[in-house]
Amino acid sequence: MLFRSERYVERPRHVEIQILGDQHGNLVHLWERDCSTQRRHQKLIEESPSPRLPLETRRKMCEAAVRLAKAAGYFSAGTVEFIVDQQDNFYFIEVNARIQVEHPVSEMVSGIDLVKSQIRVAAGEKLGFTQKDIVPRGHAIECRINAEDPAANFRPCPGRIERLVAPGGYGVGFDSHLTVGYTLPPHYDSLVGKLIVHQPTRQEAIQTMIRALKELRIEGIKTTVPLHLEVLSNAAFHEAQVDTTFVERMLAG
C-alpha cells in the first residue's frame, strides 16, 4: 500500500474496500466497490466487483484495508479508499469511519446487511461470520439520483414532487425519502434517491439499470437520470474503460 496524491496519478480509478469489525477483534472485508464514475470528484455510479481490477491487486488491496483497520483497533462498518493507477498500483486516500451512501452495493454482492451488523456490533455482539464465509455473488450497480439539471450545467433543482414512480422487478431497488407532494428544499445535499440493481453478470446489471432508469419517474424537479443513461450507454463504460476524469471528458466531447 503506497501513499500518493491523486493529482499525481494520470486518469486514476477510485476503488474502496468495505470493512466490518466487532469489539472482540474480529474484522473482515466485504470486497471492493469501484467508484470511478464521478463528476467533479463526486461519485455518480458505484459497482461491485470492480470490472478492471486484477485478482491479485484486489486481494492485496483488501488485505491492506484489513491490516490498517486492525492496527487502528477499528470496529463497526467503515470504508478504506484507494486510487489505482494505470499499472494497477494502489494508493491510500482515507478511511471513512461510517456507513456510506453506496453500502447497498456491498450488501448485494455479499449478502450481509451492514446496517443490522453495525447495530449488533455497537451492542457488543460478535460478527457471527468469518472472512471465508463472505463469497461475492453477481454484480451490483448503484446510481445516485441528484436533483440537478444536467442540461443547465447541473443547476440545483429544488421543488415540489408532482409524480413519483419507482421501478421494480427482479434485482431492482430504489431507496428514497421522496413522496408525492413533498417539497424538496434548496438547503441540503442534492441526493434524492439511490437506484440499485443486482444481477448475475455486469452486462445484465447494466441493462437492468438502463431499464430501471427509464422506468423511474420523478416529476416536478429535474434529476440526473439523463446523465446516468448517457454514461451507461457509453461504449467506454461497457468496456470498463472508466476513470475519475471520464465523465468530464464525455461531457466535453
Side-chain angles (χ1 to χ4, degrees):
M1 177 174 59
L2 304 175
F3 294 80
R4 190 175 184 182
S5 172
E6 185 170 359
R7 69 171 180 264
Y8 298 121
V9 177
E10 184 179 1
R11 295 191 176 183
R13 286 168 283 154
H14 188 153
V15 179
E16 56 190 32
I17 309 300
Q18 177 69 58
I19 56 171
L20 180 65
D22 61 26
Q23 300 181 56
H24 305 274
N26 303 304
L27 197 143
V28 298
H29 65 78
L30 275 65
W31 304 100
E32 84 284 2
R33 298 185 293 256
D34 194 303
C35 306
S36 301
T37 307
Q38 305 178 6
R39 175 181 171 270
R40 298 178 64 181
H41 302 291
Q42 297 298 309
K43 301 169 187 175
L44 296 174
I45 298 175
E46 297 98 355
E47 60 180 310
S48 182
S50 176
R52 283 179 57 195
L53 200 64
L55 291 177
E56 183 64 12
T57 304
R58 182 191 201 199
R59 180 187 64 79
K60 290 180 179 178
M61 191 179 296
C62 290
E63 290 176 353
V66 170
R67 286 200 310 272
L68 187 155
K70 283 187 174 180
Y74 187 82
F75 65 88
S76 190
T79 302
V80 185
E81 304 199 11
F82 301 92
I83 55 173
V84 183
D85 66 19
Q86 297 300 304
Q87 291 73 45
D88 296 315
N89 300 305
F90 60 96
Y91 308 91
F92 173 76
I93 303 177
E94 63 182 3
V95 175
N96 279 293
R98 55 179 171 81
I99 203 80
Q100 287 194 273
V101 171
E102 59 270 29
H103 76 271
V105 173
S106 294
E107 290 183 328
M108 291 289 186
V109 297
S110 68
I112 293 174
D113 187 322
L114 280 165
V115 176
K116 182 187 293 184
S117 297
Q118 190 174 12
I119 293 171
R120 287 178 170 173
V121 164
E125 295 185 22
K126 292 184 178 181
L127 288 181
F129 47 82
T130 65
Q131 190 64 65
K132 66 179 181 180
D133 299 318
I134 306 172
V135 180
R137 54 198 178 95
H139 198 96
I141 299 177
E142 176 182 287
C143 287
R144 300 191 186 200
I145 311 300
N146 295 327
E148 299 170 348
D149 186 357
N153 197 29
F154 295 90
R155 179 183 65 202
C157 292
R160 187 177 188 274
I161 306 302
E162 302 294 343
R163 186 181 181 217
L164 177 63
V165 179
Y170 174 77
V172 177
F174 182 60
D175 292 351
S176 177
H177 64 288
L178 298 183
T179 57
V180 174
Y182 173 74
T183 297
L184 187 70
H187 311 298
Y188 308 107
D189 189 283
S190 62
L191 180 68
V192 295
K194 303 182 297 184
L195 187 56
I196 307 122
V197 303
H198 181 229
Q199 295 294 335
T201 68
R202 184 172 187 262
Q203 285 304 314
E204 287 175 291
I206 290 173
Q207 293 306 318
T208 300
M209 180 61 81
I210 290 173
R211 188 265 298 169
L213 286 164
K214 290 179 178 179
E215 289 182 1
L216 178 62
R217 294 286 184 271
I218 305 176
E219 297 180 6
I221 62 172
K222 299 287 187 179
T223 72
T224 51
V225 167
L227 173 65
H228 288 298
L229 284 169
E230 185 176 356
V231 171
L232 287 160
S233 300
N234 190 285
F237 186 86
H238 281 257
E239 296 166 5
Q241 298 301 314
V242 174
D243 56 69
T244 59
T245 66
F246 164 72
V247 172
E248 275 85 359
R249 297 199 314 273
M250 184 191 75
L251 294 174

